[in-house]
Amino acid sequence: MDNQTTEQPAQSDPIVETTTDQSQTSVLSGEQTTQNNFQDLIPDEYRGEKSLSNFRDMGDFVKSYLSAQKIVGADKIPVPNKFATEDDWKAVFNKLGAPEKPEDYKYSFKDGEVDKELISSFNQEAHRLGLLPQQAESLIKYYKDMNEGSSIQAEEKATETRLHTENELKREFGPQYTKRLDQAKRLASSTLGSEFLNNTFLQDGSRLGDNIAVVKAFSELADKLSEDEVVKGDTSGYMTAKDLEKEISTLQEEGSPFWDKQHPNHERTVQEVFKLRQLLHNG
């Protein structure tokens, strides 16, 4: 009897240990289930919300909730709907930082770097669109750089075309190149105006005054006119050889600035006489 009583406690130890291990295993399994099945904690009526599908565990949910609470009191700008008026949008732009008046836009350009009329016109449109100051400056800088780049490219192309025209005409005109080119340019300037010739760009990138076909056409016309003793002055229109001689005589009259080195117009008069003599002899 005693021996049997002594052996029973020894047999009960494994039973207790087994029970304890099963209990711990059950607790650990429950914690893992809670962590990995966070979506199961969401009530059925909210489980379909897409905004909740990104939460992996309770920690993520709590962080998001706390972050949302911090911005509850922040200023909010309602987005106007399709029925909003210009004033509604203006109120939004003002809250974002758009200036009250077009002239309130300020830029970092140096004086004279950008045309004032262009800036004023741009400011009007920028204000109408509700551009923020940093947006307006970035946009006008982009436009300025793009315009400068285009101008440089156009100038390079025009220079290249001018050199090509000169080389071609030198081969064609030979020794008379300088004379014929000068006659053509003077005739073209008198007919169309220097500004129009220099500032008009053709499709091939050349200036009108440097286009080989235009130069040759005016050269041929100048040849025909010179046969009738008609030559062209820089600013006086068509003049005959007699007109030139008369103009030279007038400028060289006794007592004129041409003879008085102290006269403020002496140098200009001398240059004018020199220019007219060139026209008379070369024309």
Side-chain angles (χ1 to χ4, degrees):
M1 296 286 294
D2 292 338
N3 292 335
Q4 293 177 352
T5 304
T6 301
E7 293 176 355
Q8 288 177 352
Q11 294 176 354
S12 64
D13 289 342
I15 297 175
V16 173
E17 291 177 359
T18 301
T19 303
T20 302
D21 291 342
Q22 291 176 347
S23 176
Q24 291 175 348
T25 301
S26 176
V27 171
L28 292 174
S29 177
E31 290 176 352
Q32 186 175 4
T33 301
T34 302
Q35 183 176 5
N36 294 337
N37 296 286
F38 174 76
Q39 298 296 324
D40 294 339
L41 301 177
I42 302 174
D44 292 340
E45 62 267 32
Y46 303 116
R47 193 166 295 174
E49 292 288 338
K50 292 183 178 181
S51 60
L52 298 175
S53 63
N54 296 325
F55 294 109
R56 296 174 300 174
D57 51 43
M58 183 61 71
D60 287 345
F61 179 79
V62 171
K63 288 179 182 178
S64 177
Y65 175 79
L66 293 176
S67 177
Q69 288 298 307
K70 290 179 181 180
I71 64 174
V72 166
D75 291 337
K76 302 180 185 65
I77 303 177
V79 179
N81 57 29
K82 63 181 181 180
F83 302 106
T85 63
E86 289 188 7
D87 289 339
D88 295 332
W89 281 107
K90 183 178 180 181
V92 172
F93 296 146
N94 288 343
K95 285 187 177 181
L96 291 173
E100 289 292 333
K101 298 176 294 183
E103 51 269 29
D104 289 340
Y105 284 105
K106 303 299 179 184
Y107 306 106
S108 57
F109 300 120
K110 298 178 181 178
D111 291 341
E113 190 175 358
V114 180
D115 185 79
K116 291 184 178 181
E117 292 186 3
L118 175 63
I119 288 288
S120 178
S121 177
F122 175 81
N123 286 348
Q124 293 289 337
E125 187 64 12
H127 186 262
R128 187 185 70 82
L129 295 173
L131 294 184
L132 304 183
Q134 61 269 30
Q135 291 175 319
E137 179 155 17
S138 296
L139 187 59
I140 199 169
K141 279 186 176 180
Y142 173 79
Y143 173 79
K144 176 177 175 293
D145 293 342
M146 181 179 66
N147 192 45
E148 288 179 351
S150 299
S151 298
I152 292 173
Q153 290 180 355
E155 187 63 32
E156 289 176 349
K157 179 63 178 178
T159 300
E160 179 184 346
T161 305
R162 178 178 57 79
L163 294 175
H164 173 74
T165 297
E166 289 179 357
N167 291 332
E168 290 295 317
L169 292 177
K170 283 179 181 179
R171 282 194 289 268
E172 183 171 341
F173 293 163
Q176 293 187 336
Y177 165 76
T178 301
K179 176 183 176 181
R180 295 190 62 176
L181 182 64
D182 182 61
Q183 289 176 334
K185 287 186 174 181
R186 285 188 279 114
L187 181 58
S189 297
S190 176
T191 306
L192 301 177
S194 298
E195 185 175 351
F196 182 73
L197 290 169
N198 294 329
N199 297 331
T200 302
F201 290 85
L202 302 179
Q203 191 172 5
D204 64 356
S206 67
R207 285 189 176 90
L208 181 63
D210 296 328
N211 182 269
I212 188 168
V214 174
V215 175
K216 289 173 68 174
F218 275 101
S219 176
E220 292 175 3
L221 181 58
D223 279 343
K224 294 179 180 179
L225 292 174
S226 65
E227 293 173 0
D228 297 328
E229 296 188 83
V230 178
V231 293
K232 174 184 169 300
D234 289 338
T235 59
S236 303
Y238 290 112
M239 298 178 69
T240 66
K242 291 182 179 180
D243 292 332
L244 288 172
E245 291 174 348
K246 182 179 180 181
E247 183 69 17
I248 292 172
S249 296
T250 301
L251 292 173
Q252 290 184 319
E253 287 180 350
E254 185 178 354
S256 69
F258 180 85
W259 305 105
D260 185 0
K261 292 184 179 181
Q262 304 301 320
H263 197 285
N265 292 330
H266 171 73
E267 185 64 27
R268 184 176 63 83
T269 305
V270 171
Q271 291 296 327
E272 184 67 19
V273 170
F274 175 75
K275 191 181 299 182
L276 291 173
R277 288 191 179 279
Q278 280 190 316
L279 291 174
L280 181 63
H281 295 293
N282 296 335

